[in-house]
Amino acid sequence: MSNITVKTMAQYMAEGKQPEVLFWVGCAGSFDDRAKKITRAFVKILNNIGVEFAVLGTEESCTGDPAKRAGNEFVFQMQAMMNIEVLNAYEVKKIVTTCPHCFNTLKNEYPSLGGEYEVLHHSQYLQQLINEGKLKLEGSETFKGRRITFHDPCYLGRGNDVYEAPRELIEKLDAELVEMKRCKTRGLCCGAGGAQMFKEPEKGNKDVNIERTEEALEKEPHIIATGCPFCNTMMTDGVKHFEKESTVMVKDLAELIMEAKDL
C-alpha cells in the first residue's frame, strides 16, 4: 500500500486548493474486499500519471441507490441530501466513480435535489486521459493475444448509453475483444441490479448470473472484463459455479490497465 497516495477534500481545502476531480469510491469500493482491489487499481493509475484527485473519506455516504431501487424513496432522499450538502460545501464540479450505480444516481437523480455535477464512469475518464495524452498504453504487450469479452453493466450501458469507452480501453490493450451474443443495447443483466445484490434470488430454473456467465464462457475468453463491482461479484460467482476460475479471470477495466502499465 506504500505506493498509494490518497488525499481527502478536507486536506485540499485546508491547503486552499481544489483537485481536478473527486473520486467517489462507493460502498462496494470501500468495504467489499474484492472491490477494494478495483479502487486500488484506479488510484494507482491516477497516482502514476499525476492526476490531482481527492476522496471524501469518512464524509462519503451511500448514494442511496440500493434504497431507491428497493422502493424506499424516503431513505434515498435523506442519503442524497446529506451527500449533496457535503459536495456543495466543497464546491465539487467533477466526479469520477468506478461504480455504474453511483454514476447513474449522482448523474441522473441528484440534479433534481440540488446536486449538479459533471459525473463520469471511470471507463470514460480513463478514455479522456488517453485522448489528452496523459495515459499511455502504447507498447504494452501484457494482454497481447488474450481473448477478452466485456460484460455491459446495466446502468452504464442501457441506462446511460456508454458502450464505446470500455471497449476502446480493451482494444488499446492490444487484446482481442470478443463480443457475447447479447451485448451493448441487448446486453443481459448480471442479476445484481435493482438492489437484487442484497437478497437471495427467487425460485426459478436458473440464476441470471449463471446464464450470463454461460454466454461469456461460450466465447472461450481468457478474461471477462467488467466495469462494475456488482457485475464483478456475479460473474466471479458464475465462473466458480462452472469451476473455471483457474482458466478464466474476471477483472475490472481499471485492473487491466494497471496490469498493462505494470503498476
Side-chain angles (χ1 to χ4, degrees):
M1 286 297 288
S2 56
N3 57 347
I4 284 185
T5 312
V6 184
K7 283 165 78 171
T8 62
M9 282 302 287
Q11 285 171 300
Y12 268 99
M13 192 167 235
E15 293 169 13
K17 289 184 357 202
Q18 192 78 357
E20 293 169 45
V21 67
L22 171 77
F23 172 28
W24 186 276
V25 182
C27 299
S30 301
F31 302 113
D32 179 81
D33 285 342
R34 175 65 187 89
K36 282 182 200 171
K37 293 179 180 172
I38 300 169
T39 303
R40 286 194 196 109
F42 187 55
V43 166
K44 278 183 178 175
I45 296 165
L46 298 186
N47 279 171
N48 178 257
I49 56 180
V51 171
E52 289 208 338
F53 74 97
V55 297
L56 286 174
T58 53
E59 291 186 277
E60 181 186 300
S61 169
C62 178
T63 59
D65 166 78
K68 188 175 182 76
R69 306 301 157 220
N72 197 331
E73 183 66 22
F74 175 65
V75 168
F76 162 70
Q77 292 208 10
M78 281 205 318
Q79 289 180 303
M81 299 301 273
M82 277 187 343
N83 285 323
I84 289 167
E85 211 170 291
V86 173
L87 291 166
N88 290 352
Y90 284 123
E91 296 178 3
V92 169
K93 304 280 186 291
K94 188 171 182 175
I95 302 174
V96 62
T97 177
T98 51
C99 173
H101 296 255
C102 297
F103 165 68
N104 178 68
T105 305
L106 292 165
K107 181 173 182 278
N108 300 320
E109 320 269 7
Y110 274 32
S112 63
L113 298 169
E116 298 260 2
Y117 321 103
E118 179 193 352
V119 187
L120 297 169
H121 181 253
H122 70 308
S123 63
Q124 295 173 302
Y125 188 59
L126 292 168
Q127 185 58 41
Q128 212 173 72
L129 292 170
I130 287 172
N131 292 345
E132 289 167 3
K134 291 177 184 167
L135 175 59
K136 295 180 174 65
L137 294 171
E138 284 71 36
S140 167
E141 301 214 337
T142 313
F143 297 102
K144 206 172 176 62
R146 312 290 279 166
R147 286 167 67 83
I148 301 180
T149 190
F150 179 66
H151 162 73
D152 288 284
C154 295
Y155 280 117
L156 186 64
R158 292 193 310 277
N160 286 285
D161 280 335
V162 179
Y163 299 110
E164 293 317 312
R167 289 171 169 80
E168 283 178 25
L169 291 178
I170 291 168
E171 282 167 358
K172 281 271 190 309
L173 297 172
D174 220 2
E176 184 191 349
L177 175 63
V178 288
E179 294 285 12
M180 284 183 249
K181 192 169 67 217
R182 284 187 275 193
C183 66
K184 298 186 181 175
T185 52
R186 294 183 61 249
L188 178 70
C189 178
C190 71
Q196 296 294 312
M197 180 79 181
F198 306 103
K199 56 181 272 300
E200 290 302 314
E202 286 95 9
K203 289 226 177 316
N205 300 330
K206 190 195 287 182
D207 286 353
V208 176
N209 69 314
I210 300 302
E211 170 119 356
R212 188 55 169 162
T213 307
E214 272 176 353
E215 291 186 1
L217 294 176
E218 272 172 24
K219 294 292 167 189
E220 298 182 352
H222 297 103
I223 297 163
I224 299 171
T226 63
C228 170
F230 295 156
C231 297
N232 196 302
T233 298
M234 300 306 266
M235 299 306 279
T236 300
D237 288 351
V239 169
K240 281 180 185 158
H241 174 86
F242 291 108
E243 297 180 351
K244 295 275 190 191
E245 59 265 53
S246 57
T247 52
V248 181
M249 311 300 275
V250 180
K251 290 190 182 282
D252 186 85
L253 296 160
E255 294 176 307
L256 298 177
I257 288 180
M258 178 190 74
E259 285 174 30
K261 287 188 72 62
D262 201 18
L263 300 177

